[in-house]
Amino acid sequence: MRLEKLLEDLEYVCIQGSVDVEVEDVVYDTRKGIRPGSLFVCIRGRKWDGHGFAAQAAGKGAAALVVSEPVEDVAGMDVTVIQVANTRYALALLSAAWFGHPAEKMQVIGITGTKGKTTTTYLVKSILEHAGFKVGLMGTTGILVGNCLVQADNTTPESYVIQENFARMYQAGMEIVVMEVSSQALKQRRTAGFTFDYGIFTNLATDHIAPGEHASLEEYIACKGMLFGQCRIGIVNGDDAHVADVVKGHTCQLETYGLGEGCMLRASGLGLVRDPGKLGVAFHVSGLVELDAQAAMPGRFSVYNALCAIALCRHFGVEVDAVQQALLEVRVKGRIEKVEMPQRFTLLIDYAHNAMALENLLAALREYRPGRLVCLFGCGGDRAKRRRYEMGEVSGRLADLTVITSDNPRTEEPDQIIRDIETGIVPTGGKYVKIRDRREAIFYVLSQGQEGDIIVLAGKGHEDYQEIQGVKYHMDEREIVKEWLEGMGL
């Protein structure tokens, strides 16, 4: 493709060479290989700055460089240099053009919020597929095209990867794409270069405010709100305390859902459902849609997730029975995932890895009046210590028994992380035990399970690894449970 064609949607200055050159590939990471004719986009990351590799790229035959600052060491080399204000934004637009603007050929749904993104994407996918649509998915658990799941490094990948997979989805016959949109992705303009048909907001809490993430709550809110300047129809949680700030300055048509009287789609009459092998919640939906529904996952937050999916799927003309059936059948790996057990207790695996998520989960499960509520969790290393104290306090207050263990200690000592969690739990007076090895800890809670218990393995969710001293070791909690069952002859 000619460079001039790729640059059509960008404001730029050609400071060296000519835009009348042929581009054979678009590259933004030198580790992925630069070949003659490549267009190399110099991205500045946390650890590396692509501008420092500009001469190396030119030396390998790159046809052009896209920069946001001068790169003097390529002066006089046979390479075109294009200067833009923001190379991440440029990469997004260049990638969309390189892959032929695939988002324009499908309907794209973007879901943002602190919690509920993953579950809601799967709910939407399930409902739409029940109605006969072909749906691709992109999010925390990976990129799903048909039955093919590819792991992704981020909840919302780099813009090139987004466009590459949009193209894959379109070629595979997908009509709709539903994707999680993180605040970091919006901040870094990874989702630039196309317009979302629908933008969704689930909720917002004071998370992700830390060095390397967001400097303040105001910045976090502003980044979330960018989605509503990039979509045609916005569907938002009308009950959330921050919703007005999130949609401030929006350019889209807005709809609201929630439990409050003023919401355009509203749930009422919530009732708990606990049958053998089942924890759920039933409710009535009124307003934009009228129906009775039941979510196959517990808690008020499950009603919000379901409402959000219903609010969206009505735009696709989905019949009521398809909505109802899909809500009963959808299962999301690592999100209040029920593990089938021959025992007389309920075992759940959930990704709750901060205080807000853990409190919502445990408070919801307490409403089902378990014999005991048992919570096993650890905390990630190289992360804010405050999270450890807070999660310890939450579990100590809400669980009848807490088992403190390891999560992803990364470069920290697991014992220190466990002591930090203990600092939070001790003042609550809650009962707890410490078992450093997660496999041993899971064996312990299973062997101690009593009739009527609800046991939660929290923090890992969909993850099938444990990261220790920079190395990822395979560890899937489902496999550990299976190993225990086989050892018990069950």
Side-chain angles (χ1 to χ4, degrees):
M1 184 180 292
R2 304 302 287 179
L3 177 58
E4 187 176 24
K5 181 71 174 175
L6 279 172
L7 293 168
E8 277 184 344
D9 296 329
L10 265 174
E11 291 187 10
Y12 67 91
V13 176
C14 181
I15 59 175
Q16 179 174 309
S18 168
V19 295
D20 188 25
V21 294
E22 191 70 21
V23 172
E24 302 293 338
D25 194 10
V26 176
V27 181
Y28 61 95
D29 187 337
T30 55
R31 294 171 297 181
K32 296 183 179 179
I34 296 171
R35 58 192 176 94
S38 293
L39 169 63
F40 180 60
V41 185
C42 299
I43 300 295
R44 183 180 294 108
R46 287 189 192 179
K47 297 181 179 179
W48 307 103
D49 185 350
H51 292 82
F53 296 90
Q56 178 183 328
K60 290 184 176 181
L65 306 171
V66 177
V67 303
S68 59
E69 60 189 53
V71 281
E72 296 176 0
D73 50 356
V74 301
M77 296 181 74
D78 184 21
V79 63
T80 294
V81 181
I82 302 297
Q83 186 160 352
V84 297
N86 183 323
T87 52
R88 280 195 177 275
Y89 178 71
L91 177 63
L93 272 62
L94 290 165
S95 299
W98 178 252
F99 288 104
H101 300 284
E104 295 178 2
K105 304 165 188 174
M106 302 176 290
Q107 295 202 63
V108 183
I109 301 159
I111 301 178
T112 198
T114 305
K115 304 299 171 192
K117 296 188 297 295
T118 300
T119 300
T120 305
T121 57
Y122 275 88
L123 285 171
V124 167
K125 184 175 187 292
S126 179
I127 293 172
L128 291 174
E129 287 181 338
H130 268 78
F133 293 98
K134 292 185 177 180
V135 185
L137 182 145
M138 198 179 299
T140 305
T141 59
I143 298 167
L144 187 59
V145 184
N147 294 320
C148 179
L149 178 66
V150 178
Q151 296 301 319
D153 293 333
N154 300 302
T155 294
T156 312
E158 189 55 80
S159 56
Y160 181 93
V161 179
I162 291 174
Q163 295 295 336
E164 181 181 36
N165 282 282
F166 280 171
R168 280 183 59 225
M169 291 175 182
Y170 176 69
Q171 290 164 7
M174 302 294 109
E175 304 162 272
I176 301 167
V177 180
V178 56
M179 63 182 290
E180 297 181 51
V181 183
S182 69
S183 55
Q184 280 294 311
L186 289 162
K187 178 181 178 179
Q188 295 179 354
R189 307 306 301 272
R190 295 182 217 155
T191 60
F194 66 96
T195 299
F196 289 94
D197 294 280
Y198 300 91
I200 310 296
F201 168 65
T202 60
N203 52 62
L204 191 138
T206 53
D207 200 7
H208 302 294
I209 300 169
E213 293 190 87
H214 295 287
S216 64
L217 177 61
E218 290 72 23
E219 181 190 290
Y220 185 38
I221 290 172
C223 288
K224 290 291 187 190
M226 291 172 68
L227 179 60
F228 301 98
Q230 194 189 334
C231 69
R232 295 184 175 92
I233 296 176
I235 300 174
V236 301
N237 179 351
D239 294 341
D240 190 87
H242 300 285
V243 66
D245 291 328
V246 169
V247 301
K248 186 177 180 180
H250 68 88
T251 58
C252 60
Q253 174 187 328
L254 277 183
E255 296 178 6
T256 59
Y257 67 90
L259 307 186
E261 292 287 349
C263 294
M264 298 165 73
L265 186 77
R266 181 171 175 263
S268 59
L270 279 60
L272 302 181
V273 176
R274 184 172 189 182
D275 297 326
K278 183 186 298 183
L279 294 175
V281 57
F283 54 97
H284 180 71
V285 179
S286 58
L288 296 172
V289 176
E290 194 85 23
L291 60 89
D292 290 314
Q294 183 175 313
M297 291 181 279
R300 179 177 290 242
F301 53 85
S302 294
V303 176
Y304 277 102
N305 293 338
L307 267 181
C308 180
I310 293 168
L312 172 67
C313 291
R314 80 177 190 90
H315 286 277
F316 293 86
V318 180
E319 298 291 336
V320 167
D321 58 348
V323 173
Q324 293 168 323
Q325 193 62 34
L327 290 176
L328 287 172
E329 293 179 4
V330 68
R331 299 291 184 272
V332 184
K333 185 176 182 180
R335 300 308 192 274
I336 325 181
E337 177 188 351
K338 188 176 184 301
V339 182
E340 295 301 324
M341 298 288 291
Q343 311 295 105
R344 291 173 292 179
F345 56 78
T346 300
L347 178 64
L348 303 171
I349 294 176
D350 192 80
Y351 189 50
H353 59 289
N354 60 36
M356 174 193 175
L358 191 64
E359 178 150 18
N360 285 344
L361 175 63
L362 297 182
L365 294 176
R366 285 226 71 89
E367 294 182 0
Y368 290 82
R369 301 186 181 279
R372 293 185 309 163
L373 180 56
V374 180
C375 178
L376 177 151
F377 79 97
C379 287
D382 304 332
R383 298 293 186 269
K385 283 194 173 187
R386 185 184 67 182
R387 178 175 291 186
R388 304 168 192 177
Y389 308 143
E390 291 173 345
M391 289 184 72
E393 189 278 331
V394 166
S395 191
R397 175 166 45 86
L398 293 175
D400 297 296
L401 171 65
T402 299
V403 178
I404 309 174
T405 187
S406 287
D407 192 294
N408 292 323
R410 298 186 178 90
T411 64
E412 287 195 64
E413 282 299 318
D415 289 336
Q416 181 57 56
I417 297 173
I418 288 171
R419 285 194 292 270
D420 289 338
I421 296 171
E422 191 176 16
T423 298
I425 200 172
V426 166
T428 70
K431 184 179 178 182
Y432 70 96
V433 297
K434 298 180 291 182
I435 304 175
R436 172 176 171 165
D437 184 275
R438 197 172 184 104
R439 176 178 171 276
E440 290 182 16
I442 292 172
F443 274 29
Y444 174 81
V445 294
L446 295 177
S447 65
Q448 298 295 311
Q450 301 173 13
E451 183 172 358
D453 285 354
I454 295 178
I455 299 173
V456 181
L457 310 182
K460 297 298 292 176
H462 62 282
E463 293 179 352
D464 59 1
Y465 65 87
Q466 192 168 34
E467 185 178 344
I468 303 171
Q469 294 299 321
V471 179
K472 288 186 177 180
Y473 298 90
H474 179 76
M475 190 203 72
D476 190 319
E477 293 183 323
R478 297 150 198 82
E479 294 174 6
I480 294 173
V481 172
K482 183 180 179 182
E483 181 186 348
W484 181 83
L485 288 170
E486 290 174 348
M488 297 295 292
L490 299 173

